[in-house]
Amino acid sequence: MLGKRGSTLIESLFAFEIFISVLVIYMGLMTNLFSNETKISQYYQDVLKKEGEISFSEDFTELIQMALH
């Protein structure tokens, strides 16, 4: 944009293209982040469930030996 002239059609289209590109990249990254967060949460719940099963199925000395090895 030069001086007090308005933007040309090409400049406006470039600005719109940049805006849409940033918007698409942002939405893609947020979708990927949410998907990974869901997977991590599921893995964490599985770990907690397995820890609960181990702690109730074995006595205290076996748990200590398992932790030390």
Side-chain angles (χ1 to χ4, degrees), residues 6-42:
S7 61
T8 63
L9 179 62
I10 297 296
E11 291 171 339
S12 298
L13 289 175
F14 280 145
F16 183 69
E17 178 187 3
I18 291 169
F19 172 75
I20 294 299
S21 298
V22 169
L23 189 64
V24 167
I25 289 171
Y26 177 77
M27 294 301 292
L29 289 175
M30 293 304 291
T31 302
N32 193 13
L33 178 67
F34 180 73
S35 174
N36 288 338
E37 182 182 3
T38 304
K39 288 178 186 177
I40 290 171
S41 177
Q42 182 63 38

Side-chain angles (χ1 to χ4, degrees), residues 47-63:
V47 166
L48 290 178
K49 182 179 175 185
K50 288 178 184 178
E51 283 180 355
E53 292 171 358
I54 289 173
S55 65
F56 288 122
S57 66
E58 299 181 16
D59 66 348
F60 186 67
T61 57
E62 290 179 3
L63 288 174

